Amino acid sequence: MLGEDVTAEFLVDDAVSRGRVTVFQICWRACDPLAVSMTLVSRPEHPALPQGSWVAPRDALRAGLETATGDGDVRIGPDFTRGGVRLDLVDGKRHSVVVLATSSLRSFLDRTERLVPTGQEHPEQELDTVLANLFQN
């Protein structure tokens, strides 16, 4: 379980006709069960295209399925007009909005819950295991 990751990629902007694609990547790691890493990348990479990296608590993403939550660089909540979950992401002066299908985000979170259920995260024990493995090598 320690080394297991749950990842997903979502196509955000399929502007193939303009020669670009924006992808939202999310990753949860069993060794850090409280956090979800999120990355917004554009292909081809260009400074004017959306990009950035964020970390949000897994429970905030779960709460954001039903109600607005978060502050600072990551805000999450239902987007009733588009029928999904809206993530407002700030990286310096850049502000990006990503809307994911509620069912897709819920599926991602459910996969993480099967590995480490909410309330059973033990970050200090996981850290001890990671450190022990590092010192054995």
Side-chain angles (χ1 to χ4, degrees), residues 40 48-51 54 72-75 82 86-98:
L40 189 61
L49 298 176
Q51 59 187 333
W54 302 267
D73 293 345
V74 180
R75 296 171 191 248
R82 293 190 245 180
R86 177 184 170 118
L87 291 93
D88 285 276
L89 307 166
V90 177
D91 186 14
K93 293 183 179 183
R94 295 178 147 212
H95 176 243
S96 299
V97 175
V98 174

Side-chain angles (χ1 to χ4, degrees), residues 2-21:
L2 182 62
E4 294 194 45
D5 295 349
V6 176
T7 61
E9 283 193 354
F10 303 94
L11 192 60
V12 176
D13 182 12
D14 185 7
V16 176
S17 63
R18 294 181 305 218
R20 74 170 203 184
V21 175

Side-chain angles (χ1 to χ4, degrees):
M1 172 188 347
L2 182 62
E4 294 194 45
D5 295 349
V6 176
T7 61
E9 283 193 354
F10 303 94
L11 192 60
V12 176
D13 182 12
D14 185 7
V16 176
S17 63
R18 294 181 305 218
R20 74 170 203 184
V21 175
T22 302
V23 177
F24 185 67
Q25 304 165 328
I26 54 178
C27 179
W28 172 90
R29 302 184 68 188
C31 66
D32 187 9
L34 297 173
V36 175
S37 300
M38 303 175 289
T39 306
L40 189 61
V41 297
S42 292
R43 297 180 185 124
E45 187 176 329
H46 186 279
L49 298 176
Q51 59 187 333
S53 296
W54 302 267
V55 176
R58 177 175 68 169
D59 61 344
L61 286 172
R62 176 73 69 187
L65 293 170
E66 306 297 329
T67 186
T69 187
D71 58 13
D73 293 345
V74 180
R75 296 171 191 248
I76 309 146
D79 185 324
F80 299 110
T81 59
R82 293 190 245 180
V85 178
R86 177 184 170 118
L87 291 93
D88 285 276
L89 307 166
V90 177
D91 186 14
K93 293 183 179 183
R94 295 178 147 212
H95 176 243
S96 299
V97 175
V98 174
V99 178
L100 303 176
T102 303
S103 60
S104 297
L105 182 56
R106 181 173 281 121
S107 175
F108 170 84
L109 293 168
D110 289 348
R111 289 173 34 215
T112 72
E113 292 284 337
R114 285 192 287 277
L115 294 171
V116 180
T118 297
Q120 294 186 14
E121 304 97 338
H122 301 287
E124 54 282 337
Q125 289 175 355
E126 298 288 347
L127 180 59
D128 289 345
T129 303
V130 169
L131 290 174
N133 288 339
L134 286 173
F135 289 125
Q136 285 178 352
N137 294 329

